[in-house]
Amino acid sequence: MTNIFGKYTQYNTIIHKCDPRIKILGLILIMVICFLPYGSNYMNQLAILAVLGVVIVSLMIIAKINFLDFFKSLKVMWFMVIFLLIINVFIPYGNNEHVMISFSNGYTLYWEGVLNTFMVVFRLILMIALTMILTSTTTPMDITYGFEWYLSPLKIFKFPTQVVAMTISLALRFIPTLLEQANRIMKAQKSRGVDYNRGFLSKKIKSITTLIVPLLVSCFSISDDLSLAMEARGYDPYGKRSRYRILKFSIYDLVSILFFIILLGAFIYLSVITNHYGVNIIETLFPLTEGVTF
Amino acid sequence: MNEALKVKNLCFNYDENKETLVNLSFEVKKGDYVTLIGHNGSGKSTLAKLLTYLITPSSGEIYVNDLLLNEENIGKIRRTLGIVFQNPDNQFIGSTVEDDIAFGLENRNIPLNDMQKLVKEYSKKVNMENYLKKEPSELSGGQKQRVAIAGILALNLKIIIFDEATSMLDPEGVEDIKHLINEMREKDPELTFISITHDIEEAYLSDYCIILNKGRIYKEGKPNEIFNEIDDIKRIGLDVPFVLKIKNALKEKNIFINDDIKTIEDLAKNICK
């Protein structure tokens, strides 16, 4: 079983070499960029999102991400897409001009709803792509260390950041072990006649309990063993520990910081001129085209 | 101080009605390879946990290098005593092989440069130097156990306890680890190994053997002496080492073989002479 956000794959790209702290910062910045308001002109919004899409796709190509895996991970979005479509189409908001269906009782559906849905879904796809770039270029351990670094200001308030980091890294470390365990229990129960695939919902829930209860029990026994092993090797959560992995800034990090600052600056500028001053970018850039308005 | 470990009147019970360990007393000499054998439920693993202070005794005392094992001394004692558990998966703490070997070193606050050297050195000793970046899910049980052993050896301990550490390995893996133990003991004659095992052959090869039965010491002494009392050994359902069986069969035919001969290979050579 693979993680829906993609597993770490080892390559030697610039993005792989980058400091995890920078990558986390970049992820958050680009996510913010994705959700900035870009005015009310649909053509403008689509153009800006398309540019952002190109940027993210090129990042994915640089990071050598397997696009097949990416499309597979999008499968889980179907339910959300339908849900968003229903909400957006049946509850119209904003300026709606283009009628899709007009019911006899005066209730109308607008094309703008479909367009809004498309843009939200596109943004979500970009988010998944970004997360995938982070997770497939950074080991879980490095991500944990990165987060620990961002939490470090909390040390002033005596918040045990290293304990939190250790907990997260142990949780990540034991995901495959628990999956393996779950598979084993499932096979054992199947051989005893439990059917996980057929039957009504109530029956399925019943058969799932035959998986969950033993899994929980083995979870406790694993954590018991683990805590003994950690204690035996002298782990003291509040004691002073040295670090085997130390995060270091390199030239790549400087380049990526500059990249993120320029990207953020550019998109904030776009957001301000489109949203605040109502500038139509496409008309400004290509004055020869007849004002294509939507 | 010639004893690495001294146990005095040790008692332990998980619940009030059932006594798990009753009045154990024994000593382990420095540099010895001691085996603890017994059936499931004889209290072997409980004893291992008591020796590492993972659980506290109901009564009695344990001295490690003449230091009483208690809350106050445990920090000091953990720097000399380590344990490898049975299940290789549940004691793999780091996310990769190198992280796991480094875990104990990190706890000791060892600087990064020394850690990198030690990780390299000990991963080589257990033949895992090509797997440093691998995750536990990519390793076999034997490889994981070798990593756990490297993690313990890297700490430069004086007493190492194996709690059925080889029981989940294939015969080849067991052989590898036996070689490793012998190598370590040759290099450091002060190194004490305590192996908790079901393997009667391993017990026969050790320096000193303690047989536990129902929470009590049934027999202790040099393997040659205790296994020679075959009726006593068989009474509690344990098997007799293969080499000893042959020796005794030969003895009935008036062929005497030296007591020092303990492995099948040596025995074969001796018979062929």
PDB file of all heavy atoms in Angstrom, chain B residues 161-183:
ATOM      1  N   ILE B 161      22.856  -8.014  27.009  1.00  0.00           N
ATOM      2  CA  ILE B 161      21.884  -9.085  27.205  1.00  0.00           C
ATOM      3  C   ILE B 161      21.147  -9.323  25.894  1.00  0.00           C
ATOM      4  O   ILE B 161      20.681  -8.379  25.263  1.00  0.00           O
ATOM      5  CB  ILE B 161      20.881  -8.700  28.317  1.00  0.00           C
ATOM      6  CG1 ILE B 161      21.627  -8.426  29.618  1.00  0.00           C
ATOM      7  CG2 ILE B 161      19.855  -9.792  28.502  1.00  0.00           C
ATOM      8  CD1 ILE B 161      20.762  -7.883  30.722  1.00  0.00           C
ATOM      9  N   PHE B 162      21.062 -10.567  25.468  1.00  0.00           N
ATOM     10  CA  PHE B 162      20.281 -10.924  24.289  1.00  0.00           C
ATOM     11  C   PHE B 162      19.026 -11.639  24.766  1.00  0.00           C
ATOM     12  O   PHE B 162      19.106 -12.742  25.282  1.00  0.00           O
ATOM     13  CB  PHE B 162      21.074 -11.880  23.379  1.00  0.00           C
ATOM     14  CG  PHE B 162      22.000 -11.189  22.437  1.00  0.00           C
ATOM     15  CD1 PHE B 162      22.554  -9.963  22.751  1.00  0.00           C
ATOM     16  CD2 PHE B 162      22.317 -11.762  21.219  1.00  0.00           C
ATOM     17  CE1 PHE B 162      23.416  -9.323  21.881  1.00  0.00           C
ATOM     18  CE2 PHE B 162      23.175 -11.130  20.342  1.00  0.00           C
ATOM     19  CZ  PHE B 162      23.732  -9.921  20.671  1.00  0.00           C
ATOM     20  N   ASP B 163      17.885 -10.991  24.624  1.00  0.00           N
ATOM     21  CA  ASP B 163      16.643 -11.626  25.055  1.00  0.00           C
ATOM     22  C   ASP B 163      16.028 -12.358  23.857  1.00  0.00           C
ATOM     23  O   ASP B 163      15.234 -11.801  23.125  1.00  0.00           O
ATOM     24  CB  ASP B 163      15.678 -10.565  25.599  1.00  0.00           C
ATOM     25  CG  ASP B 163      14.416 -11.182  26.152  1.00  0.00           C
ATOM     26  OD1 ASP B 163      14.310 -12.421  26.152  1.00  0.00           O
ATOM     27  OD2 ASP B 163      13.532 -10.424  26.592  1.00  0.00           O
ATOM     28  N   GLU B 164      16.414 -13.576  23.659  1.00  0.00           N
ATOM     29  CA  GLU B 164      15.991 -14.381  22.502  1.00  0.00           C
ATOM     30  C   GLU B 164      16.191 -13.613  21.207  1.00  0.00           C
ATOM     31  O   GLU B 164      15.359 -13.664  20.300  1.00  0.00           O
ATOM     32  CB  GLU B 164      14.530 -14.816  22.650  1.00  0.00           C
ATOM     33  CG  GLU B 164      14.340 -15.714  23.858  1.00  0.00           C
ATOM     34  CD  GLU B 164      12.927 -16.248  23.963  1.00  0.00           C
ATOM     35  OE1 GLU B 164      12.332 -16.549  22.930  1.00  0.00           O
ATOM     36  OE2 GLU B 164      12.435 -16.360  25.096  1.00  0.00           O
ATOM     37  N   ALA B 165      17.313 -12.920  21.144  1.00  0.00           N
ATOM     38  CA  ALA B 165      17.543 -12.015  20.010  1.00  0.00           C
ATOM     39  C   ALA B 165      17.671 -12.756  18.693  1.00  0.00           C
ATOM     40  O   ALA B 165      17.493 -12.177  17.634  1.00  0.00           O
ATOM     41  CB  ALA B 165      18.790 -11.182  20.260  1.00  0.00           C
ATOM     42  N   THR B 166      17.997 -14.029  18.736  1.00  0.00           N
ATOM     43  CA  THR B 166      18.189 -14.748  17.472  1.00  0.00           C
ATOM     44  C   THR B 166      17.020 -15.676  17.146  1.00  0.00           C
ATOM     45  O   THR B 166      17.057 -16.374  16.144  1.00  0.00           O
ATOM     46  CB  THR B 166      19.488 -15.575  17.524  1.00  0.00           C
ATOM     47  OG1 THR B 166      19.459 -16.393  18.685  1.00  0.00           O
ATOM     48  CG2 THR B 166      20.702 -14.692  17.559  1.00  0.00           C
ATOM     49  N   SER B 167      15.983 -15.648  17.965  1.00  0.00           N
ATOM     50  CA  SER B 167      14.917 -16.633  17.767  1.00  0.00           C
ATOM     51  C   SER B 167      14.083 -16.370  16.528  1.00  0.00           C
ATOM     52  O   SER B 167      13.406 -17.242  16.022  1.00  0.00           O
ATOM     53  CB  SER B 167      14.014 -16.691  18.994  1.00  0.00           C
ATOM     54  OG  SER B 167      13.320 -15.481  19.121  1.00  0.00           O
ATOM     55  N   MET B 168      14.115 -15.117  16.012  1.00  0.00           N
ATOM     56  CA  MET B 168      13.329 -14.822  14.813  1.00  0.00           C
ATOM     57  C   MET B 168      14.184 -14.863  13.547  1.00  0.00           C
ATOM     58  O   MET B 168      13.743 -14.454  12.483  1.00  0.00           O
ATOM     59  CB  MET B 168      12.679 -13.456  14.943  1.00  0.00           C
ATOM     60  CG  MET B 168      11.483 -13.472  15.854  1.00  0.00           C
ATOM     61  SD  MET B 168      10.575 -11.962  15.688  1.00  0.00           S
ATOM     62  CE  MET B 168       9.012 -12.436  16.402  1.00  0.00           C
ATOM     63  N   LEU B 169      15.418 -15.318  13.672  1.00  0.00           N
ATOM     64  CA  LEU B 169      16.312 -15.313  12.509  1.00  0.00           C
ATOM     65  C   LEU B 169      16.417 -16.714  11.901  1.00  0.00           C
ATOM     66  O   LEU B 169      16.177 -17.714  12.572  1.00  0.00           O
ATOM     67  CB  LEU B 169      17.708 -14.853  12.929  1.00  0.00           C
ATOM     68  CG  LEU B 169      17.802 -13.525  13.654  1.00  0.00           C
ATOM     69  CD1 LEU B 169      19.260 -13.139  13.820  1.00  0.00           C
ATOM     70  CD2 LEU B 169      17.069 -12.442  12.913  1.00  0.00           C
ATOM     71  N   ASP B 170      16.812 -16.743  10.624  1.00  0.00           N
ATOM     72  CA  ASP B 170      17.056 -18.037   9.988  1.00  0.00           C
ATOM     73  C   ASP B 170      18.419 -18.563  10.448  1.00  0.00           C
ATOM     74  O   ASP B 170      19.235 -17.802  10.982  1.00  0.00           O
ATOM     75  CB  ASP B 170      16.968 -17.907   8.465  1.00  0.00           C
ATOM     76  CG  ASP B 170      17.868 -16.804   7.938  1.00  0.00           C
ATOM     77  OD1 ASP B 170      18.586 -16.209   8.769  1.00  0.00           O
ATOM     78  OD2 ASP B 170      17.853 -16.544   6.743  1.00  0.00           O
ATOM     79  N   PRO B 171      18.673 -19.855  10.249  1.00  0.00           N
ATOM     80  CA  PRO B 171      19.922 -20.444  10.770  1.00  0.00           C
ATOM     81  C   PRO B 171      21.170 -19.679  10.342  1.00  0.00           C
ATOM     82  O   PRO B 171      22.096 -19.509  11.140  1.00  0.00           O
ATOM     83  CB  PRO B 171      19.920 -21.834  10.147  1.00  0.00           C
ATOM     84  CG  PRO B 171      18.502 -22.147   9.897  1.00  0.00           C
ATOM     85  CD  PRO B 171      17.812 -20.853   9.614  1.00  0.00           C
ATOM     86  N   GLU B 172      21.165 -19.179   9.104  1.00  0.00           N
ATOM     87  CA  GLU B 172      22.331 -18.436   8.627  1.00  0.00           C
ATOM     88  C   GLU B 172      22.545 -17.158   9.445  1.00  0.00           C
ATOM     89  O   GLU B 172      23.658 -16.842   9.846  1.00  0.00           O
ATOM     90  CB  GLU B 172      22.111 -18.058   7.172  1.00  0.00           C
ATOM     91  CG  GLU B 172      23.325 -18.244   6.303  1.00  0.00           C
ATOM     92  CD  GLU B 172      22.951 -18.032   4.852  1.00  0.00           C
ATOM     93  OE1 GLU B 172      22.223 -18.887   4.298  1.00  0.00           O
ATOM     94  OE2 GLU B 172      23.348 -17.003   4.306  1.00  0.00           O
ATOM     95  N   GLY B 173      21.437 -16.461   9.690  1.00  0.00           N
ATOM     96  CA  GLY B 173      21.504 -15.239  10.479  1.00  0.00           C
ATOM     97  C   GLY B 173      22.002 -15.520  11.888  1.00  0.00           C
ATOM     98  O   GLY B 173      22.790 -14.753  12.451  1.00  0.00           O
ATOM     99  N   VAL B 174      21.558 -16.634  12.448  1.00  0.00           N
ATOM    100  CA  VAL B 174      21.988 -17.006  13.796  1.00  0.00           C
ATOM    101  C   VAL B 174      23.489 -17.227  13.809  1.00  0.00           C
ATOM    102  O   VAL B 174      24.202 -16.734  14.698  1.00  0.00           O
ATOM    103  CB  VAL B 174      21.246 -18.276  14.267  1.00  0.00           C
ATOM    104  CG1 VAL B 174      21.781 -18.729  15.609  1.00  0.00           C
ATOM    105  CG2 VAL B 174      19.757 -18.023  14.352  1.00  0.00           C
ATOM    106  N   GLU B 175      23.993 -17.934  12.787  1.00  0.00           N
ATOM    107  CA  GLU B 175      25.433 -18.199  12.701  1.00  0.00           C
ATOM    108  C   GLU B 175      26.212 -16.886  12.634  1.00  0.00           C
ATOM    109  O   GLU B 175      27.202 -16.706  13.335  1.00  0.00           O
ATOM    110  CB  GLU B 175      25.754 -19.054  11.464  1.00  0.00           C
ATOM    111  CG  GLU B 175      25.542 -20.542  11.675  1.00  0.00           C
ATOM    112  CD  GLU B 175      26.244 -21.071  12.910  1.00  0.00           C
ATOM    113  OE1 GLU B 175      27.456 -20.819  13.061  1.00  0.00           O
ATOM    114  OE2 GLU B 175      25.567 -21.719  13.737  1.00  0.00           O
ATOM    115  N   ASP B 176      25.739 -15.971  11.769  1.00  0.00           N
ATOM    116  CA  ASP B 176      26.401 -14.675  11.616  1.00  0.00           C
ATOM    117  C   ASP B 176      26.544 -13.986  12.963  1.00  0.00           C
ATOM    118  O   ASP B 176      27.596 -13.456  13.302  1.00  0.00           O
ATOM    119  CB  ASP B 176      25.561 -13.752  10.707  1.00  0.00           C
ATOM    120  CG  ASP B 176      25.824 -14.046   9.249  1.00  0.00           C
ATOM    121  OD1 ASP B 176      26.671 -14.920   8.997  1.00  0.00           O
ATOM    122  OD2 ASP B 176      25.177 -13.407   8.396  1.00  0.00           O
ATOM    123  N   ILE B 177      25.452 -14.007  13.724  1.00  0.00           N
ATOM    124  CA  ILE B 177      25.451 -13.273  14.985  1.00  0.00           C
ATOM    125  C   ILE B 177      26.331 -13.967  16.013  1.00  0.00           C
ATOM    126  O   ILE B 177      27.038 -13.316  16.787  1.00  0.00           O
ATOM    127  CB  ILE B 177      24.009 -13.046  15.452  1.00  0.00           C
ATOM    128  CG1 ILE B 177      23.435 -11.921  14.601  1.00  0.00           C
ATOM    129  CG2 ILE B 177      23.937 -12.684  16.924  1.00  0.00           C
ATOM    130  CD1 ILE B 177      21.984 -11.773  14.644  1.00  0.00           C
ATOM    131  N   LYS B 178      26.368 -15.293  15.975  1.00  0.00           N
ATOM    132  CA  LYS B 178      27.275 -16.012  16.882  1.00  0.00           C
ATOM    133  C   LYS B 178      28.722 -15.648  16.594  1.00  0.00           C
ATOM    134  O   LYS B 178      29.516 -15.427  17.514  1.00  0.00           O
ATOM    135  CB  LYS B 178      27.067 -17.519  16.732  1.00  0.00           C
ATOM    136  CG  LYS B 178      25.892 -18.036  17.540  1.00  0.00           C
ATOM    137  CD  LYS B 178      25.750 -19.527  17.395  1.00  0.00           C
ATOM    138  CE  LYS B 178      24.478 -19.983  18.076  1.00  0.00           C
ATOM    139  NZ  LYS B 178      24.146 -21.365  17.714  1.00  0.00           N
ATOM    140  N   HIS B 179      29.051 -15.574  15.291  1.00  0.00           N
ATOM    141  CA  HIS B 179      30.406 -15.167  14.914  1.00  0.00           C
ATOM    142  C   HIS B 179      30.725 -13.788  15.450  1.00  0.00           C
ATOM    143  O   HIS B 179      31.797 -13.543  15.988  1.00  0.00           O
ATOM    144  CB  HIS B 179      30.555 -15.160  13.392  1.00  0.00           C
ATOM    145  CG  HIS B 179      30.854 -16.512  12.833  1.00  0.00           C
ATOM    146  ND1 HIS B 179      32.000 -17.192  13.132  1.00  0.00           N
ATOM    147  CD2 HIS B 179      30.137 -17.317  12.021  1.00  0.00           C
ATOM    148  CE1 HIS B 179      31.990 -18.358  12.525  1.00  0.00           C
ATOM    149  NE2 HIS B 179      30.854 -18.473  11.845  1.00  0.00           N
ATOM    150  N   LEU B 180      29.753 -12.894  15.275  1.00  0.00           N
ATOM    151  CA  LEU B 180      29.928 -11.514  15.704  1.00  0.00           C
ATOM    152  C   LEU B 180      30.203 -11.455  17.208  1.00  0.00           C
ATOM    153  O   LEU B 180      31.101 -10.742  17.667  1.00  0.00           O
ATOM    154  CB  LEU B 180      28.671 -10.723  15.352  1.00  0.00           C
ATOM    155  CG  LEU B 180      28.723  -9.243  15.595  1.00  0.00           C
ATOM    156  CD1 LEU B 180      29.673  -8.600  14.616  1.00  0.00           C
ATOM    157  CD2 LEU B 180      27.346  -8.641  15.457  1.00  0.00           C
ATOM    158  N   ILE B 181      29.436 -12.242  17.963  1.00  0.00           N
ATOM    159  CA  ILE B 181      29.609 -12.245  19.419  1.00  0.00           C
ATOM    160  C   ILE B 181      31.013 -12.729  19.768  1.00  0.00           C
ATOM    161  O   ILE B 181      31.720 -12.118  20.579  1.00  0.00           O
ATOM    162  CB  ILE B 181      28.544 -13.138  20.094  1.00  0.00           C
ATOM    163  CG1 ILE B 181      27.164 -12.537  19.900  1.00  0.00           C
ATOM    164  CG2 ILE B 181      28.853 -13.316  21.576  1.00  0.00           C
ATOM    165  CD1 ILE B 181      26.046 -13.420  20.400  1.00  0.00           C
ATOM    166  N   ASN B 182      31.439 -13.824  19.134  1.00  0.00           N
ATOM    167  CA  ASN B 182      32.771 -14.349  19.415  1.00  0.00           C
ATOM    168  C   ASN B 182      33.850 -13.326  19.109  1.00  0.00           C
ATOM    169  O   ASN B 182      34.799 -13.154  19.879  1.00  0.00           O
ATOM    170  CB  ASN B 182      33.015 -15.623  18.601  1.00  0.00           C
ATOM    171  CG  ASN B 182      32.228 -16.785  19.167  1.00  0.00           C
ATOM    172  OD1 ASN B 182      31.876 -16.784  20.347  1.00  0.00           O
ATOM    173  ND2 ASN B 182      31.917 -17.753  18.331  1.00  0.00           N
ATOM    174  N   GLU B 183      33.665 -12.637  17.979  1.00  0.00           N
ATOM    175  CA  GLU B 183      34.632 -11.631  17.571  1.00  0.00           C
ATOM    176  C   GLU B 183      34.730 -10.522  18.622  1.00  0.00           C
ATOM    177  O   GLU B 183      35.814 -10.106  19.027  1.00  0.00           O
ATOM    178  CB  GLU B 183      34.162 -11.040  16.250  1.00  0.00           C
ATOM    179  CG  GLU B 183      35.248 -10.515  15.354  1.00  0.00           C
ATOM    180  CD  GLU B 183      34.629 -10.032  14.061  1.00  0.00           C
ATOM    181  OE1 GLU B 183      34.232 -10.884  13.235  1.00  0.00           O
ATOM    182  OE2 GLU B 183      34.515  -8.811  13.907  1.00  0.00           O
TER     183      GLU B 183
END
